[in-house]
Amino acid sequence: MTRTISKVAKELAINIETVRFYERRGLIEQPPKPELGYRHYPDETVNRIRFIKRAQELGFTLEEIANLLSLNDRPCAQVQELAEYKLSAVMEKIADLKRLESALKALLTQCQSNNDDEHCPIIDSLQP
């Protein structure tokens, strides 16, 4: 089955410009333009866009997604290596967010027990 760009965009709840952007980035192939009518995108392209959108939802960048797509025909170990790198980056972000959470909780506790309306512990902590 094939679809025009507008039908692809509607089916996937994305903008037509998103499809064109993926074409320019080399993430999907632009179908040849017939002499009459519109380009038609095959199921394979629609599924590839679904993969791209899902990978983005999981936090992969377009560059990382391009790497994943290029590894499609390669050994699983290479895909695993990329996934392990991404997991490491996610774990680092989580650790940073936990430290931020702890710092904000401490500042809020200070703020709640602050009786000095002239100074705010949160603002004071952000000052150089």
Side-chain angles (χ1 to χ4, degrees), residues 6 44 65 98 106 111 118:
S6 62
E44 178 183 298
I65 293 168
K98 285 182 179 180
C111 204
E118 302 279 326

Side-chain angles (χ1 to χ4, degrees), residues 5 36 48 51 60 65 78 86-87 94 105 107 111 122:
I5 193 169
L36 297 173
R48 193 170 177 107
F51 175 88
F60 286 90
I65 293 168
Q78 290 179 338
K86 186 64 176 180
L87 176 60
I94 290 171
K105 283 181 178 179
L107 288 170
C111 204
I122 295 173

Side-chain angles (χ1 to χ4, degrees), residues 103-116:
L104 287 171
K105 283 181 178 179
L107 288 170
L108 286 170
T109 299
Q110 289 176 19
C111 204
Q112 291 165 352
S113 62
N114 180 32
N115 294 326
D116 183 359

Side-chain angles (χ1 to χ4, degrees), residues 57-94:
E57 289 171 8
L58 293 172
F60 286 90
T61 65
L62 288 179
E63 185 177 329
E64 291 168 332
I65 293 168
N67 286 338
L68 283 172
L69 290 169
S70 73
L71 294 173
N72 195 33
D73 297 327
R74 297 197 182 152
C76 186
Q78 290 179 338
V79 177
Q80 180 181 346
E81 184 179 321
L82 182 60
E84 286 172 350
Y85 173 78
K86 186 64 176 180
L87 176 60
S88 174
V90 167
M91 290 171 64
E92 286 178 26
K93 286 180 184 178
I94 290 171

